[in-house]
Each structure stands twice: as C-alpha cells, then as structure tokens.
Amino acid sequence: MSPAGAMLDGLFGGSNLDKLTKKECYIELIDSYRMRVEDDYKFACDNHGLYAGEDPKPDFARFLDLAEKRTGLLPGWWNKENRAACEAIGADTFKENWADLSCAVEKHDIIKHYKDNTKPMKLRLLAEKVYGQRVQGGL
C-alpha cells in the first residue's frame, strides 16, 4: 500500500468488511472492483473487464482470487459458498441491481448512491489492498 493509502486507511478504518452484513460485504467488494476498473481506464489507460469489451465476470473472479490471498482482508465467515453468492449478485443483470458487474460506475455514481463523499476513496483503498498497489499511471 502506498504511504498516502496507509494514512487514509487509518483515517477510514481499513476495509471493515467484517463489520458489514454478508450482502453489504459482497456489494462493497463489487463496487471496489468496479471503481478500480473505472480508475484503471481513466488514469492508467488499462482496459480490462467491461472496459475491454469483455465479460466482466472472469476479471472480477481474478479480483476475488487476489482478495482471498490477502491475509485478514476478507471476513472470517468468507468461504466458497459466500464467494459464489457474491459472484451471483454481480452477475445479476436485473435492471434494479445496483451491483451489476456489466454496468460501469464512476465516482459521482458512488457518491450519489451511498450519499457519502468519502465512499469512492474507501472503495479505492479496498481495491489497493486487493491488488497490492494503487492505480498505475499518471496525468
């Protein structure tokens, strides 16, 4: 994690996934992934998943693979069944599903949905923990 990320992580309390309900945890992971895909596209010209015109589910599965390798990141109750439930929520393309992986999300969408101006940063920090690095690239 970058030094700035470590400082902000302390301010925002880390991932806190273990303090959420299971469904909230799944959506937090999905939104963290979607925010990262947007940031990789916008800031690093790195198109993957939906932004590369691909089915986003395999790319999200890789995100979860990495998250599962990070000691202490996921809640203690996380298992294969919970992973499958998380992936199912992301794969649900019902038009009222906020967490649809096939829908892009931008910073303003996150702020509007959560009514929290700090939520994009929190999601970015979670993705940084999963990937082990911040978005690469620079403007």
Side-chain angles (χ1 to χ4, degrees):
M1 180 178 297
S2 69
M7 180 193 74
L8 291 170
D9 188 49
L11 291 174
F12 293 123
S15 70
N16 292 316
L17 294 175
D18 58 336
K19 295 179 180 155
L20 303 174
T21 66
K22 287 182 179 183
K23 186 174 182 181
E24 289 170 339
C25 176
Y26 304 155
I27 294 171
E28 189 93 351
L29 287 164
I30 291 165
D31 285 347
S32 178
Y33 164 78
R34 294 193 308 159
M35 187 86 249
R36 179 58 176 256
V37 173
E38 165 69 18
D39 286 348
D40 283 345
Y41 164 76
K42 188 173 182 180
F43 300 118
C45 300
D46 178 11
N47 300 334
H48 55 99
L50 180 65
Y51 286 74
E54 303 167 349
D55 177 355
K57 292 185 290 290
D59 194 45
F60 180 62
R62 287 187 287 277
F63 178 84
L64 291 179
D65 290 343
L66 290 171
E68 290 173 344
K69 292 176 184 174
R70 304 291 183 229
T71 304
L73 181 65
L74 296 173
W77 50 258
W78 186 266
N79 59 29
K80 289 181 183 180
E81 291 79 21
N82 288 294
R83 178 185 171 130
C86 180
E87 291 173 320
I89 288 174
D92 182 359
T93 57
F94 181 66
K95 73 176 185 171
E96 298 300 320
N97 179 22
W98 161 259
D100 181 353
L101 287 168
S102 66
C103 293
V105 50
E106 297 177 351
K107 179 180 174 180
H108 66 88
D109 299 317
I110 296 290
I111 292 170
K112 182 178 177 183
H113 178 77
Y114 288 99
K115 297 174 180 55
D116 179 355
N117 290 336
T118 65
K119 191 65 172 185
M121 183 57 66
K122 293 173 186 175
L123 295 172
R124 287 174 171 137
L125 290 170
L126 176 56
E128 187 175 310
K129 287 180 179 183
V130 171
Y131 285 109
Q133 63 183 19
R134 64 179 189 261
V135 172
Q136 300 300 305
L139 294 175

